[in-house]
Amino acid sequence: MELRRIILGHFLVISLALNMGLLYRDYYYNGNRKPQDVFTFKNKGKNASLYAKRDAHLGKRTFLEASKASSSSSSSSTVLDEVIDLDHGDPTMYERYWQQMGDKTTVVIPGWKFISYFSDVSNICWFLEPEFASAVFRLHNLVGNAATEDRHIVVGTGSTQLYQAVLYALSAPNATEPISVVSVAPFYSSYPLITDFLKSGLYTWAGDARKFKLDKPYIELVTSPNNPDGFTREPIVNQNHGTLVHDLAYYWPQYTAISSRADHDIMLFTVSKSTGHAGTRLGWALVKDREIAKKMTEFVMLTTIGVSKESQLRAAKILQVISDSHEQKVSKESEAFFDHNYNLMTRRWQQLKNAVKASNLFSLPDLPTEKCAFSGRTFATQPAFAWLKCEGEIDDCENFLRGHKIITRGGKHFGDSNKFVRISMLPRDEVFDKFIEQLSIISSLPSSKDR
Amino acid sequence: MELRRIILGHFLVISLALNMGLLYRDYYYNGNRKPQDVFTFKNKGKNASLYAKRDAHLGKRTFLEASKASSSSSSSSTVLDEVIDLDHGDPTMYERYWQQMGDKTTVVIPGWKFISYFSDVSNICWFLEPEFASAVFRLHNLVGNAATEDRHIVVGTGSTQLYQAVLYALSAPNATEPISVVSVAPFYSSYPLITDFLKSGLYTWAGDARKFKLDKPYIELVTSPNNPDGFTREPIVNQNHGTLVHDLAYYWPQYTAISSRADHDIMLFTVSKSTGHAGTRLGWALVKDREIAKKMTEFVMLTTIGVSKESQLRAAKILQVISDSHEQKVSKESEAFFDHNYNLMTRRWQQLKNAVKASNLFSLPDLPTEKCAFSGRTFATQPAFAWLKCEGEIDDCENFLRGHKIITRGGKHFGDSNKFVRISMLPRDEVFDKFIEQLSIISSLPSSKDR
């Protein structure tokens, strides 16, 4: 309830700033058009003007002037480099792999293509490019992470749009009150915001699923592996009139063992977290029920009249190359996608676990170990986010880490305690290495030893 | 009010089917990957199963079985070819121009590009690709149709998303009742649907601006040239507390004389109707007020976490080529974009006017003639849609034309009389020619002469 009030009240903008993990990366293209990355961060202490730059995007008026000052200075990169931003889940870790793959995934689009709104009117989702649909089915069948038989694909502008499409599809247009939307805490921090920001009469955020006891229609979101904590999730509400939505954005073999083929009624996926192409803004839903698929399609039609064909064409190519990389393993240079990124995640998690072990300040959850039916490996879930707990007397872990120039997202945004923070495990190598280094420095500080 | 009830009631799905102009075009790629187009239509009389195919996308259960039967038959193209679908504004007319331009607008996107969510965090609209922003400013400055100084660009997944972003930006999160949204009838048929379908507590459709007399906050949509009737529009509500939104999707020199540089607070544009790339799903807003631009950006962040980078990159290229085509006029083959399409629209409108003149059944509005500051030509507006009136005793023009295999959208969807229909002027040449031919046939029928 408190969360709800904050969202709907005049703190909306600030809440958004903190929750959506806005973003502090400047692309500066040099003469060769290679991106030279400069990070700006929400380190309010020493770098207020840098933090302001981010806040400026979200309407925090007090920081506007500072922002201007900051962006007019071109010599700020030295200062920026000191701060480590792991607040948002920008999956730039994947850039290196795709660079190594060279032109295999290059797409070429002539100017006369994609003039029409329509992709395939024989499909319920008439704006779904058939090439993208085939690539999705092929990849799921290869990985074995989701059932595809008798499923409709609904494509969306990221799984964020599909999440809203599901709420629309599952709500009754003539109901006297909005349907309740719940998820077990800690839940993805965007769920409450996206559910409530338009004050829809169709659906409303009802918080932690564990506390939901009403005998009324509800939608339970089951995110597995869970964002933020990485645990495998099952539905928990035991009432009538419920509909389950499975957010499987992270159910891929670089993050977790594929223990079985998910076979749920509504399953959401996104390229952001599977291939790393967040800028492509593309997600897909596998939907059993024809009427739900139709209503989801209707939502996407009403809100954006379909989904970028360019994104679909490019994602199709990328998914096909991933499948190819596993079916035609040839050389070291063309290492298979999931193997390469599984190994990368393993290394990162080992680094983080070592750093946490060497400290008396932090702890990590014990994530389940299972055998992966795809790779044959037995391993513990190594999620895209670490759910780090500050031990002892540190009650505001986000604030504590910010004081040490590590920017994370505090537990309260996920409906949990501020003893926790969510940390992105998907930045570029240099940022991740610096994060580990910084954790060790914090642990070795005299003030830290006192705690 | 009646319209409102229909929208919110159980006719929603049907209403959507009729309003959004859903779409009946199958792409069948042959071996050479050239699109072979097959049209299916909403001709309920003789071709119920074809109509069903469309309806199937929108949840009309009764047609589902018929749909299945239809789509399993591959020999239906003869029947389909008989029907002329001009209901929706799919701008396939533009395909030919872009084909003639060859590889000038071809884009090549390597796999490692656009991994990040972020394009340029120094911009309020942090997901706006700088290349796209420059191309937008350059084109407006060339054409002279909109002021760009001290404007923020907010990019959206089509202007449909930006329309909603504007409503969100202009509404007060803590207001006791939703803000009223009005537009002079006939208004774009999607406005009421998109405004009300989520039953938002922030904004509500309040119908024809001419009838709005309340002394309460409101948003007036000024679409100029107007969809559906092509007239130049000025704001009409004369109350306090109003904010104007100018939808200038059709304010381009192939459709209307650029009489002056539009200089409004909030102006919406889209590539669908300017360049013809509807499948790209890309629009932009020019916004004077920094806080409004921020809130619009926030809306796009919350609903889709930004806008496809691929679409932006491709649109940037296309807009640049259009500007180039005017600044470096060289040969017949590379005829300048607006000249080519102005000529095409002139020919089509002449054909339509001749056909209407030769008949005693129809009439067209007298659209204003002005001198175009861009081209130097003096001409009457030749809009993307014709607002055709059935004269005499024909009270349901949509139904009358459907009986003659011409599919249009009836006046009631635009808040006007069913004596009118909206007809797309942007189909491919062969469809447009057939439409003109069919109009002449109708006019020459004995039954038509009786009226």
Side-chain angles (χ1 to χ4, degrees):
Chain A
M1 273 302 101
E2 195 202 337
L3 183 64
R4 180 98 200 280
R5 241 184 303 120
I6 291 170
I7 293 159
L8 295 178
H10 70 288
F11 289 115
L12 177 63
V13 170
I14 295 163
S15 183
L16 289 175
L18 295 169
N19 269 282
M20 298 298 290
L22 267 243
L23 15 109
Y24 328 108
R25 194 146 76 75
D26 281 357
Y27 270 131
Y28 292 112
Y29 286 88
N30 62 20
N32 295 324
R33 310 194 48 66
K34 282 185 69 181
Q36 177 192 339
D37 304 327
V38 178
F39 287 78
T40 62
F41 301 95
K42 58 177 187 182
N43 185 328
K44 291 222 177 184
K46 292 186 182 171
N47 301 314
S49 70
L50 305 178
Y51 194 33
K53 201 165 170 183
R54 188 282 313 268
D55 289 331
H57 301 303
L58 288 172
K60 293 181 77 177
R61 189 181 286 275
T62 45
F63 286 100
L64 288 185
E65 295 319 306
S67 169
K68 277 187 186 166
S70 157
S71 57
S72 65
S73 155
S74 60
S75 62
S76 54
S77 58
T78 332
V79 183
L80 298 176
D81 279 349
E82 292 177 12
V83 184
I84 302 154
D85 182 8
L86 301 168
D87 173 29
H88 52 80
D90 203 25
T92 45
M93 176 188 92
Y94 288 97
E95 237 170 39
R96 194 173 298 233
Y97 179 82
W98 293 116
Q99 274 168 336
Q100 284 168 3
M101 294 297 277
D103 58 7
K104 279 201 181 72
T105 50
T106 299
V107 292
V108 178
I109 313 177
W112 58 266
K113 236 189 148 172
F114 305 137
I115 295 285
S116 175
Y117 289 104
F118 310 116
S119 297
D120 175 10
V121 297
S122 70
N123 197 311
I124 285 179
C125 185
W126 48 265
F127 45 78
L128 170 64
E129 286 291 309
E131 273 181 76
F132 178 64
S134 322
V136 162
F137 280 149
R138 181 181 170 206
L139 188 63
H140 281 305
N141 292 339
L142 173 80
V143 172
N145 62 338
T148 55
E149 317 82 59
D150 300 321
R151 249 67 176 196
H152 304 283
I153 296 180
V154 180
V155 65
T157 311
S159 59
T160 298
Q161 185 178 36
L162 293 169
Y163 168 74
Q164 296 156 83
V166 166
L167 300 189
Y168 173 70
L170 297 180
S171 61
N174 297 317
T176 50
E177 57 179 332
I179 189 167
S180 296
V181 183
V182 297
S183 189
V184 169
F187 41 71
Y188 176 34
S189 50
S190 288
Y191 287 152
L193 293 167
I194 302 173
T195 308
D196 281 347
F197 86 113
L198 289 179
K199 293 186 171 184
S200 173
L202 300 178
Y203 41 77
T204 188
W205 180 250
D208 191 346
R210 279 201 200 85
K211 297 173 185 164
F212 185 76
K213 304 292 174 200
L214 301 175
D215 188 24
K216 289 199 294 193
Y218 67 92
I219 297 166
E220 181 177 356
L221 308 167
V222 182
T223 309
S224 187
N226 190 42
N227 172 3
D229 65 8
F231 281 100
T232 303
R233 282 276 180 88
E234 299 288 339
I236 201 161
V237 184
N238 189 15
Q239 303 280 344
N240 298 316
H241 321 304
T243 308
L244 300 176
V245 178
H246 282 78
D247 184 342
L248 303 183
Y250 304 93
Y251 193 48
W252 294 99
Q254 67 269 50
Y255 303 124
T256 192
I258 304 303
S259 55
S260 69
R261 235 167 48 122
D263 189 15
H264 311 293
D265 288 351
I266 303 169
M267 300 185 278
L268 305 183
F269 294 92
T270 167
V271 297
S272 313
K273 299 309 187 297
S274 52
T275 77
H277 290 83
T280 300
R281 307 311 315 121
L282 202 70
W284 67 95
L286 299 181
V287 181
K288 220 174 209 170
D289 185 275
R290 194 179 170 89
E291 300 306 311
I292 292 173
K294 271 186 225 161
K295 272 203 83 178
M296 289 177 68
T297 298
E298 197 178 288
F299 179 92
V300 177
M301 176 182 78
L302 284 164
T303 51
T304 56
I305 322 186
V307 175
S308 161
K309 312 289 183 217
E310 291 84 354
S311 294
Q312 293 186 66
L313 181 77
R314 185 156 177 256
K317 181 88 168 193
I318 289 160
L319 296 190
Q320 295 289 11
V321 168
I322 291 177
S323 293
D324 288 349
S325 79
H326 284 271
E327 289 176 350
Q328 314 159 359
K329 283 183 195 175
V330 274
S331 63
K332 182 69 189 169
E333 298 87 74
S334 59
E335 199 183 2
F337 177 80
F338 292 115
D339 294 333
H340 177 97
N341 291 296
Y342 164 84
N343 288 329
L344 192 48
M345 292 304 291
T346 304
R347 278 200 302 279
R348 289 189 171 197
W349 272 93
Q350 204 48 60
Q351 285 178 270
L352 177 61
K353 283 174 180 169
N354 291 345
V356 165
K357 212 172 178 179
S359 143
N360 60 347
L361 294 175
F362 309 112
S363 66
L364 287 165
D366 270 329
L367 293 168
T369 296
E370 282 203 79
K371 181 163 181 176
C372 179
F374 171 69
S375 66
R377 297 182 186 103
T378 298
F379 65 100
T381 301
Q382 43 189 39
F385 296 105
W387 187 236
L388 189 82
K389 189 177 180 185
C390 276
E391 295 293 340
E393 290 165 18
I394 307 167
D395 289 328
D396 187 336
C397 195
E398 179 187 323
N399 197 39
F400 173 74
L401 289 172
R402 190 192 295 127
H404 293 95
K405 299 190 181 173
I406 299 171
I407 311 302
T408 62
R409 197 176 301 183
K412 66 177 180 294
H413 302 296
F414 305 88
D416 207 323
S417 154
N418 272 342
K419 295 280 289 180
F420 294 93
V421 291
R422 192 193 74 168
I423 295 175
S424 171
M425 295 291 283
L426 305 183
R428 293 194 182 81
D429 287 344
E430 54 273 26
V431 177
F432 188 79
D433 291 344
K434 211 157 131 193
F435 161 58
I436 296 298
E437 195 187 323
Q438 186 71 355
L439 271 193
S440 306
I441 293 171
I442 297 170
S443 304
S444 65
L445 291 174
S447 61
S448 300
K449 292 221 187 323
D450 294 346
R451 286 171 189 273
Chain B
M1 275 298 106
E2 194 201 338
L3 182 64
R4 180 97 201 279
R5 242 185 302 124
I6 290 170
I7 293 158
L8 295 178
H10 70 287
F11 288 115
L12 177 64
V13 170
I14 295 163
S15 184
L16 289 175
L18 295 168
N19 269 282
M20 296 300 289
L22 266 245
L23 12 117
Y24 328 109
R25 194 146 75 76
D26 282 357
Y27 270 130
Y28 292 112
Y29 286 88
N30 62 21
N32 295 324
R33 311 195 49 67
K34 283 185 68 182
Q36 178 192 339
D37 305 325
V38 178
F39 286 77
T40 62
F41 300 94
K42 58 178 186 181
N43 184 327
K44 290 223 176 183
K46 290 184 182 171
N47 302 316
S49 69
L50 305 178
Y51 193 34
K53 202 166 169 184
R54 188 282 313 264
D55 289 332
H57 301 302
L58 287 172
K60 295 180 76 176
R61 189 181 285 277
T62 46
F63 285 100
L64 288 184
E65 295 318 306
S67 169
K68 279 188 185 166
S70 156
S71 57
S72 65
S73 155
S74 61
S75 61
S76 55
S77 58
T78 333
V79 183
L80 298 175
D81 279 348
E82 293 176 9
V83 183
I84 302 153
D85 182 8
L86 301 168
D87 174 29
H88 52 80
D90 203 25
T92 46
M93 177 188 92
Y94 289 96
E95 237 170 38
R96 193 172 299 232
Y97 178 82
W98 293 116
Q99 273 168 338
Q100 284 168 4
M101 293 297 275
D103 58 8
K104 280 201 182 72
T105 50
T106 299
V107 292
V108 178
I109 313 176
W112 58 266
K113 237 189 147 175
F114 304 137
I115 294 285
S116 175
Y117 289 103
F118 311 116
S119 297
D120 175 10
V121 297
S122 71
N123 196 311
I124 285 180
C125 185
W126 48 267
F127 45 77
L128 170 64
E129 285 291 310
E131 274 182 76
F132 178 64
S134 324
V136 162
F137 280 149
R138 181 182 171 204
L139 189 65
H140 280 306
N141 292 338
L142 174 80
V143 173
N145 62 339
T148 55
E149 317 82 59
D150 300 321
R151 250 66 176 197
H152 305 283
I153 296 181
V154 181
V155 66
T157 311
S159 61
T160 299
Q161 185 179 37
L162 292 169
Y163 167 73
Q164 297 157 83
V166 166
L167 301 190
Y168 173 71
L170 298 179
S171 62
N174 296 317
T176 49
E177 55 179 333
I179 190 167
S180 297
V181 183
V182 298
S183 189
V184 169
F187 41 71
Y188 176 33
S189 50
S190 289
Y191 287 152
L193 293 167
I194 301 173
T195 308
D196 281 347
F197 86 112
L198 290 179
K199 294 186 170 183
S200 173
L202 300 178
Y203 41 77
T204 187
W205 180 249
D208 191 346
R210 278 202 200 84
K211 298 174 184 163
F212 185 77
K213 303 292 176 202
L214 301 175
D215 188 25
K216 289 198 294 191
Y218 66 92
I219 297 166
E220 181 177 356
L221 309 167
V222 182
T223 309
S224 187
N226 190 42
N227 171 2
D229 64 9
F231 282 100
T232 303
R233 282 275 180 90
E234 299 287 340
I236 201 161
V237 183
N238 189 14
Q239 305 279 344
N240 299 317
H241 320 305
T243 308
L244 300 176
V245 178
H246 282 78
D247 184 342
L248 303 183
Y250 303 95
Y251 194 47
W252 294 101
Q254 68 268 51
Y255 303 125
T256 192
I258 304 303
S259 55
S260 69
R261 234 168 48 120
D263 190 14
H264 311 293
D265 288 351
I266 304 170
M267 301 185 276
L268 305 182
F269 294 91
T270 167
V271 297
S272 311
K273 299 309 187 297
S274 52
T275 76
H277 290 83
T280 300
R281 308 310 315 120
L282 202 71
W284 67 95
L286 298 180
V287 181
K288 220 173 209 170
D289 185 274
R290 194 179 170 89
E291 299 306 311
I292 292 174
K294 270 186 224 160
K295 273 204 82 179
M296 289 178 68
T297 298
E298 196 177 288
F299 179 91
V300 177
M301 176 183 78
L302 284 165
T303 52
T304 57
I305 322 185
V307 175
S308 161
K309 311 290 183 217
E310 291 84 353
S311 294
Q312 293 186 65
L313 182 77
R314 185 156 176 255
K317 180 88 168 193
I318 289 161
L319 297 189
Q320 295 289 12
V321 168
I322 291 177
S323 293
D324 288 347
S325 79
H326 284 271
E327 288 176 352
Q328 313 160 358
K329 282 183 196 176
V330 275
S331 62
K332 181 70 189 168
E333 299 87 72
S334 60
E335 198 182 4
F337 177 81
F338 292 116
D339 294 332
H340 178 97
N341 291 295
Y342 164 84
N343 289 329
L344 192 49
M345 291 305 290
T346 304
R347 279 200 302 279
R348 288 188 172 196
W349 271 94
Q350 204 48 60
Q351 284 179 272
L352 177 61
K353 283 173 180 169
N354 291 345
V356 165
K357 211 172 180 181
S359 142
N360 60 348
L361 293 176
F362 309 112
S363 67
L364 286 165
D366 272 329
L367 292 168
T369 295
E370 282 203 79
K371 180 160 181 178
C372 179
F374 172 69
S375 66
R377 297 180 187 106
T378 297
F379 66 99
T381 301
Q382 42 191 40
F385 295 105
W387 187 236
L388 190 81
K389 188 177 180 186
C390 276
E391 295 292 342
E393 291 165 19
I394 307 167
D395 289 327
D396 187 336
C397 195
E398 179 187 324
N399 196 38
F400 172 74
L401 289 172
R402 189 191 296 126
H404 293 93
K405 299 187 179 174
I406 299 170
I407 311 303
T408 62
R409 196 176 301 183
K412 66 176 180 296
H413 302 296
F414 304 88
D416 207 323
S417 152
N418 272 342
K419 295 281 287 180
F420 293 93
V421 290
R422 192 194 74 168
I423 295 174
S424 171
M425 295 292 282
L426 305 182
R428 293 194 181 82
D429 287 345
E430 53 274 26
V431 176
F432 188 79
D433 291 343
K434 210 156 133 193
F435 160 59
I436 296 299
E437 194 187 324
Q438 186 71 355
L439 271 192
S440 307
I441 293 171
I442 297 170
S443 304
S444 66
L445 290 175
S447 62
S448 300
K449 293 220 184 328
D450 295 344
R451 287 170 187 273

